[in-house]
Amino acid sequence: MNTETLDITKKEVEKKGFLDIQLDPELDLFAEIESLKKEKNAILLAHYYQEPDIQDVADYIGDSLGLAQQAEKTKADMIVFAGVHFMAETAKILNPAKKVVVPDLKAGCSLSDSCPPALFKKFKEQHPDHVVVSYINCSAGIKALSDVICTSSNAKLMVESFPKEQPIIFAPDKNLGAYINKVTGRNMLLWNGACMVHEIFSLEKITKLKVRHPNAKLIAHPECEEPILRIADFIGSTTGLLKYTQSDSSQEYIVATETGILHQMMKASPQKTFIPAPPNNSCACNDCPHMKLNTLEKLYLCMEYEIPEITMDEELRLAALRPIKRMLEISSKAGI
Ligand code: 13P
Ligand code: SF4
């Protein structure tokens, strides 16, 4: 299938979005996406928090660092990014000449939104002797104000790339920042941001769950709050958590991160049991509403029509590129 056979033109889609398009329910979206990849020399990068169907059709699934590394080295003409905006934006910063498209431009991030560049600039000006280490979950505007970017897999390494006496501002995630302060013995100044998904876990319910499953290990993402991290058996990025469940000998895990990662954990270790850590109320769940805006249908349509596309101001791109490159270089030297 191609745009000629869909009864809506690219111009109309640009105006209205994908909402009015009724796809034939018999259409084999997996096969269509595979053929579009070849036809357009496109690479499909997906984060672990994407729905299982999207993960299954992706060329590469990974954590934020892995995705940035793949984006840096790809030879494809088009990058299709199934994740959230800051991830696709990072791919565009690294690849100004390539087209970067996403299934839904509204897939943002509460953590990134918690740190507006204009306000952060003022904060930074109040601490002129500090360098800035920013978690990759932030806008290009924040990256442009940073000295180095980090992800949950290399945050310790990035912070320790500065001398111990160097004052540091860590933005935007206060939970990851507090965790890195603890493991490095530093006293970084933390921006007051957090992820809505990782702040939802209930210590009380996890404690009860641990009583009912005494052999289960609690594994947690460092975006979780300190009381959860304190009782965790292992803390790591999404890739770190997945690898841990593959190499560790336990048979049961309580997983304190977004539920999307369970798909790969169950695929890699079908004999093991994975229990999503319970949230602190009965209606909200630990699915990321931003990540889950992407669907297989929108993914197919974005590849077909090559919209919506990530575009960037060149001056901003160059300013944001510098700290990302610094992170990738330090990471690569350390073999991470
Ligand atoms: P990582 O996959 O890099 O651990 O990040 C998790 C996350 O919250 C992404 O939004
Ligand atoms: Fe942002 Fe949290 Fe969703 Fe990740 S899980 S995209 S940090 S809101």
Side-chain angles (χ1 to χ4, degrees):
M1 184 177 269
N2 57 38
T3 36
E4 280 92 67
T5 54
L6 282 167
D7 56 8
I8 177 159
T9 64
K10 181 167 177 172
K11 270 211 160 39
E12 286 173 298
V13 181
E14 270 166 352
K15 232 195 282 160
K16 295 195 203 162
F18 296 148
L19 286 175
D20 290 343
I21 303 180
Q22 295 295 328
L23 287 176
D24 176 355
E26 306 250 307
L27 191 66
D28 182 348
L29 290 174
F30 293 95
E32 293 291 337
I33 288 170
E34 285 305 339
S35 95
L36 282 169
K37 279 191 215 168
K38 289 194 190 81
E39 186 193 312
K40 302 189 179 206
N41 188 25
I43 185 169
L44 173 50
L45 305 179
H47 188 265
Y48 288 121
Y49 296 165
Q50 293 297 284
E51 61 175 45
D53 281 352
I54 295 180
Q55 293 188 34
D56 289 346
V57 78
D59 295 306
Y60 176 85
I61 321 162
D63 65 2
S64 306
L65 179 63
L67 288 162
Q69 288 166 334
Q70 291 293 320
E72 189 189 32
K73 70 177 188 202
T74 185
K75 298 266 181 293
D77 294 319
M78 181 164 86
I79 298 174
V80 183
F81 213 113
V84 289
H85 190 272
F86 75 81
M87 295 177 171
E89 192 174 60
T90 302
K92 183 67 185 176
I93 293 167
L94 289 162
N95 292 284
K98 291 189 201 299
K99 190 175 261 190
V100 179
V101 294
V102 293
D104 194 322
L105 209 47
K106 292 193 291 301
C109 168
S110 66
L111 179 52
S112 175
D113 292 347
S114 68
C115 195
L119 192 57
F120 186 71
K121 190 165 178 283
K122 294 267 173 254
F123 180 67
K124 190 183 156 178
E125 281 164 9
Q126 287 164 3
H127 304 282
D129 55 334
H130 286 55
V131 294
V132 177
V133 179
S134 292
Y135 189 34
I136 197 164
N137 299 36
C138 65
S139 62
I142 296 297
K143 290 186 174 81
L145 293 167
S146 306
D147 294 283
V148 71
I149 300 304
C150 72
T151 74
S152 48
S153 7
N154 62 19
K156 180 172 179 285
L157 181 69
M158 293 309 134
V159 167
E160 288 182 336
S161 70
F162 293 99
K164 214 162 175 46
E165 56 288 353
Q166 171 65 57
I168 298 175
I169 293 173
F170 188 89
D173 188 0
K174 63 177 176 188
N175 293 320
L176 176 63
Y179 171 66
I180 298 298
N181 267 345
K182 192 172 164 184
V183 296
T184 59
R186 306 255 174 151
N187 186 22
M188 297 185 294
L189 193 52
L190 309 179
W191 183 261
N192 189 24
C195 159
M196 61 191 285
V197 178
H198 289 88
E199 284 214 313
I200 210 167
F201 300 117
S202 157
L203 181 63
E204 191 192 341
K205 287 187 193 166
I206 292 176
T207 306
K208 283 183 188 158
L209 203 54
K210 283 187 93 167
V211 173
R212 285 206 302 281
H213 299 265
N215 297 321
K217 280 192 176 156
L218 173 66
I219 58 174
H221 194 279
E223 286 175 25
C224 293
E225 291 175 302
E226 199 274 334
I228 306 287
L229 297 180
R230 200 184 320 151
I231 59 161
D233 296 290
F234 179 78
I235 297 165
S237 77
T238 49
T239 299
L241 297 177
L242 174 62
K243 284 191 177 154
Y244 180 76
T245 61
Q246 290 171 271
S247 60
D248 179 62
S249 60
S250 305
Q251 292 303 306
E252 239 184 328
Y253 301 88
I254 300 166
V255 184
T257 190
E258 213 270 0
T259 55
I261 188 74
L262 268 69
H263 181 56
Q264 294 304 322
M265 288 177 174
M266 291 188 289
K267 261 174 110 166
S269 310
Q271 75 289 1
K272 297 190 177 186
T273 304
F274 299 97
I275 309 165
N280 56 17
N281 56 32
S282 53
C283 48
C285 70
N286 37 347
D287 276 338
C288 172
H290 310 287
M291 288 277 183
K292 288 332 199 251
L293 275 178
N294 297 332
T295 62
L296 200 61
E297 287 78 8
K298 288 185 203 169
L299 176 59
Y300 160 69
L301 290 167
C302 94
M303 293 178 74
E304 177 65 61
Y305 286 103
E306 301 184 15
I307 49 171
E309 190 184 344
I310 303 285
T311 53
M312 282 202 75
D313 169 78
E314 183 58 7
E315 203 182 320
L316 175 62
R317 187 191 74 80
L318 287 171
L321 177 64
R322 192 183 33 85
I324 297 175
K325 278 276 185 202
R326 183 166 176 184
M327 168 188 78
L328 291 171
E329 276 160 27
I330 299 172
S331 243
S332 149
K333 272 192 205 137
I336 296 176

